[in-house]
Amino acid sequence: MFFVKFIVFFPLLPIAIVVIALTPIFKLRFGEIPSDRIGHFGCIIELYLCEKDKLKKKFTTFDFFCFSKNICNYQIKRFWERKLNILPMRFVSGIIFWLNILPYGNKNNIFSLGNELENFNFFMHKDIKNILDKSKKHYEFSKKEINFSRKLAEKKKINLKKKTVILYVRDNKYFAKYHKNIDQNRLSSKNVNLKTYEKSIKFLINKGYQVIRVGKYSNQKIKLKSNLYFDLTNEKDTFEILQLYLISISKFIIGSNSGIMYLSSFVFRKPCYITNHIPHGFFYIESRNLMINFKKIFSLKKKKILNLSEIYHNNLFFDERSQEIKKNYCKIIDQNSNEIEANLKLFLRKVENNFLKNKIEINLEKKFLDNFNNILKKNYFRKNTYGLFKGCFGIQYLKKNQYLFK
């Protein structure tokens, strides 16, 4: 493959040499946007644009991008085409090929930051500088797109004047259809049961919200006798533009650990209640818009729920792979309907009260974070993948999950 690329991209070698030679005068940088997964596609570029807004340039820099071969969402693609310099993929990929080979070329590669930790944080869109809450949003719907979305909503009998909550529940249908190269069992631990969200949906409807389930394909369905619940997951004409538009006008998002949740938080700055998160050692908490609850890990040998330290010593702290959990003779316990509903009620109050925390919650959170950070200190790399913890876990959740403090 290397020799094929060498031959195909050889005509671009002189351009790459010029690019590197010009760096002391002005820097030309190139990057291929990972556009096949919605979380990376949305969040990496949003953080990049936030950083760019705040950057004090010592010399002129011009950045050029291309998209990856596969585009997971064409509406996000349109957002970034309005904000970035986009060039043909073959040209940018060819320049990057030579930048990765030539001396000093890595300085002209946008996604090559010089060391493994920075590259990891960049690719995993970790907001370690806590800039999201202080930065402007960068997405823009055109008037034409807004009008089109409103017509689609009207067609689906969605009332855009009604208070809206977005629901996203992960299952394996999307990955089975679009990412067949990925081991389907590997990330099955992140899947959840839609039925456990039914009580929460009914609660929100009783509170005057309409609940709209989004996502690209799903295996699970629930039947509710209500004109305030909509499931758009298997409707082709609402895959992208309408779903993103609905997220943009929603009050908040509730769902499971997935790229679309972080897209909602990062790109649209929406409050997100992320249920059933796994793993325990890697999550996104650098924005006040985020509230996270975890799945539990039950030891079949010890016949008990593992505490945080035990999860670390079983090498499951940073690892959500189903096969590793089974290898350790463990199983996952999801949050049940009552837990999700109880914590949702508290999250709704947080959204309505500007995310204020009382003293009890602050003390419980400190107790958890002290334990968490003591464990994290054992791993130099991972402890540098967090900024300040600005989000929350919820007072009800912390009270009822003492395993987090040990």
Tab-separated table of all heavy atoms in Angstrom, residues 39 53 75 92 98 138 161-162 174 181 185 212 277 308 317 347 378 406:
chain	number	residue	atom	x	y	z
A	39	GLY	N	-19.553	11.631	16.407
A	39	GLY	CA	-18.950	12.320	17.541
A	39	GLY	C	-17.652	13.005	17.158
A	39	GLY	O	-17.451	14.190	17.430
A	53	ASP	N	-10.572	30.634	17.519
A	53	ASP	CA	-11.112	31.940	17.917
A	53	ASP	C	-10.240	32.617	18.963
A	53	ASP	O	-10.114	33.839	19.003
A	53	ASP	CB	-12.529	31.777	18.481
A	53	ASP	CG	-13.553	31.465	17.403
A	53	ASP	OD1	-13.254	31.673	16.210
A	53	ASP	OD2	-14.656	31.008	17.758
A	75	GLN	N	-25.333	16.918	6.800
A	75	GLN	CA	-25.654	18.238	7.342
A	75	GLN	C	-24.469	18.794	8.129
A	75	GLN	O	-24.150	19.980	8.026
A	75	GLN	CB	-26.897	18.183	8.218
A	75	GLN	CG	-27.350	19.544	8.744
A	75	GLN	CD	-27.613	20.550	7.639
A	75	GLN	OE1	-28.217	20.229	6.629
A	75	GLN	NE2	-27.141	21.773	7.822
A	92	VAL	N	-5.363	16.690	-0.544
A	92	VAL	CA	-4.972	16.852	0.859
A	92	VAL	C	-4.316	15.584	1.392
A	92	VAL	O	-3.289	15.644	2.080
A	92	VAL	CB	-6.189	17.234	1.719
A	92	VAL	CG1	-5.817	17.265	3.204
A	92	VAL	CG2	-6.745	18.585	1.286
A	98	TRP	N	3.153	13.079	2.242
A	98	TRP	CA	4.537	13.556	2.175
A	98	TRP	C	4.948	14.301	3.442
A	98	TRP	O	6.104	14.200	3.880
A	98	TRP	CB	4.725	14.454	0.945
A	98	TRP	CG	4.651	13.678	-0.334
A	98	TRP	CD1	3.708	13.764	-1.304
A	98	TRP	CD2	5.563	12.653	-0.764
A	98	TRP	NE1	3.942	12.863	-2.304
A	98	TRP	CE2	5.092	12.172	-2.005
A	98	TRP	CE3	6.718	12.093	-0.221
A	98	TRP	CZ2	5.735	11.161	-2.711
A	98	TRP	CZ3	7.366	11.085	-0.916
A	98	TRP	CH2	6.877	10.629	-2.143
A	138	HIS	N	-20.574	27.495	16.469
A	138	HIS	CA	-20.104	27.707	15.103
A	138	HIS	C	-21.003	27.120	14.020
A	138	HIS	O	-20.776	27.361	12.842
A	138	HIS	CB	-18.682	27.145	14.945
A	138	HIS	CG	-17.666	27.866	15.768
A	138	HIS	ND1	-17.316	27.471	17.038
A	138	HIS	CD2	-16.941	28.986	15.516
A	138	HIS	CE1	-16.409	28.306	17.530
A	138	HIS	NE2	-16.163	29.225	16.635
A	161	LYS	N	-43.472	24.616	18.363
A	161	LYS	CA	-43.707	25.591	19.432
A	161	LYS	C	-43.741	24.912	20.801
A	161	LYS	O	-43.729	25.580	21.824
A	161	LYS	CB	-45.020	26.327	19.180
A	161	LYS	CG	-45.004	27.199	17.927
A	161	LYS	CD	-46.330	27.904	17.725
A	161	LYS	CE	-46.302	28.757	16.449
A	161	LYS	NZ	-47.601	29.432	16.208
A	162	LYS	N	-43.766	23.585	20.787
A	162	LYS	CA	-43.828	22.817	22.028
A	162	LYS	C	-42.427	22.629	22.602
A	162	LYS	O	-41.449	22.508	21.872
A	162	LYS	CB	-44.433	21.444	21.708
A	162	LYS	CG	-44.887	20.645	22.915
A	162	LYS	CD	-46.265	21.062	23.339
A	162	LYS	CE	-46.755	20.188	24.489
A	162	LYS	NZ	-47.997	20.728	25.085
A	174	TYR	N	-27.081	0.453	13.854
A	174	TYR	CA	-26.304	1.399	13.041
A	174	TYR	C	-24.919	0.840	12.732
A	174	TYR	O	-24.459	0.857	11.586
A	174	TYR	CB	-26.191	2.741	13.759
A	174	TYR	CG	-25.219	3.693	13.084
A	174	TYR	CD1	-25.577	4.361	11.922
A	174	TYR	CD2	-23.941	3.898	13.600
A	174	TYR	CE1	-24.695	5.220	11.289
A	174	TYR	CE2	-23.057	4.753	12.977
A	174	TYR	CZ	-23.438	5.411	11.821
A	174	TYR	OH	-22.554	6.256	11.191
A	181	ASN	N	-16.869	-3.520	9.601
A	181	ASN	CA	-15.487	-3.897	9.890
A	181	ASN	C	-15.182	-3.886	11.387
A	181	ASN	O	-14.154	-4.390	11.834
A	181	ASN	CB	-14.517	-2.957	9.174
A	181	ASN	CG	-14.724	-1.505	9.579
A	181	ASN	OD1	-15.865	-1.058	9.734
A	181	ASN	ND2	-13.649	-0.767	9.738
A	185	ASN	N	-19.564	-7.218	18.788
A	185	ASN	CA	-19.628	-7.547	20.212
A	185	ASN	C	-18.718	-6.654	21.052
A	185	ASN	O	-18.917	-6.530	22.258
A	185	ASN	CB	-19.244	-9.010	20.437
A	185	ASN	CG	-20.282	-9.964	19.861
A	185	ASN	OD1	-21.474	-9.707	19.968
A	185	ASN	ND2	-19.823	-11.034	19.240
A	212	ILE	N	-38.672	13.397	21.391
A	212	ILE	CA	-38.361	12.965	20.033
A	212	ILE	C	-37.105	12.107	20.057
A	212	ILE	O	-36.031	12.571	20.453
A	212	ILE	CB	-38.161	14.163	19.094
A	212	ILE	CG1	-39.414	15.046	19.108
A	212	ILE	CG2	-37.852	13.688	17.668
A	212	ILE	CD1	-39.280	16.339	18.330
A	277	HIS	N	-23.312	5.091	31.379
A	277	HIS	CA	-21.991	5.293	30.787
A	277	HIS	C	-21.032	4.183	31.206
A	277	HIS	O	-21.050	3.706	32.334
A	277	HIS	CB	-21.406	6.636	31.223
A	277	HIS	CG	-20.180	7.042	30.465
A	277	HIS	ND1	-18.961	6.431	30.624
A	277	HIS	CD2	-20.001	7.982	29.512
A	277	HIS	CE1	-18.074	6.983	29.818
A	277	HIS	NE2	-18.684	7.935	29.127
A	308	LEU	N	-14.805	1.310	42.739
A	308	LEU	CA	-14.004	1.980	41.724
A	308	LEU	C	-12.571	1.449	41.682
A	308	LEU	O	-12.013	1.223	40.601
A	308	LEU	CB	-14.014	3.496	41.980
A	308	LEU	CG	-14.039	4.398	40.747
A	308	LEU	CD1	-15.263	4.109	39.895
A	308	LEU	CD2	-14.044	5.874	41.167
A	317	PHE	N	-11.099	-0.145	34.104
A	317	PHE	CA	-11.346	1.267	34.389
A	317	PHE	C	-11.447	2.095	33.105
A	317	PHE	O	-12.262	3.017	33.010
A	317	PHE	CB	-10.225	1.800	35.281
A	317	PHE	CG	-10.575	3.067	36.015
A	317	PHE	CD1	-11.615	3.089	36.929
A	317	PHE	CD2	-9.833	4.227	35.813
A	317	PHE	CE1	-11.926	4.250	37.620
A	317	PHE	CE2	-10.136	5.392	36.501
A	317	PHE	CZ	-11.179	5.405	37.408
A	347	PHE	N	-32.096	16.218	37.053
A	347	PHE	CA	-31.438	16.899	35.944
A	347	PHE	C	-32.331	18.003	35.390
A	347	PHE	O	-31.842	19.102	35.069
A	347	PHE	CB	-31.103	15.900	34.839
A	347	PHE	CG	-30.397	16.495	33.654
A	347	PHE	CD1	-29.093	16.960	33.769
A	347	PHE	CD2	-31.034	16.624	32.430
A	347	PHE	CE1	-28.428	17.522	32.688
A	347	PHE	CE2	-30.385	17.180	31.344
A	347	PHE	CZ	-29.083	17.632	31.468
A	378	LYS	N	-2.368	6.970	39.098
A	378	LYS	CA	-1.569	5.786	38.796
A	378	LYS	C	-1.259	5.654	37.318
A	378	LYS	O	-0.434	4.838	36.917
A	378	LYS	CB	-2.300	4.529	39.287
A	378	LYS	CG	-2.596	4.532	40.782
A	378	LYS	CD	-3.496	3.374	41.180
A	378	LYS	CE	-3.879	3.465	42.655
A	378	LYS	NZ	-4.813	2.387	43.046
A	406	LYS	N	-15.024	4.228	46.922
A	406	LYS	CA	-14.076	3.262	47.520
A	406	LYS	C	-13.027	2.819	46.511
A	406	LYS	O	-13.296	2.773	45.316
A	406	LYS	CB	-14.845	2.040	48.024
A	406	LYS	CG	-15.919	2.393	49.057
A	406	LYS	CD	-16.754	1.174	49.396
A	406	LYS	CE	-17.891	1.556	50.314
A	406	LYS	NZ	-18.780	0.404	50.600
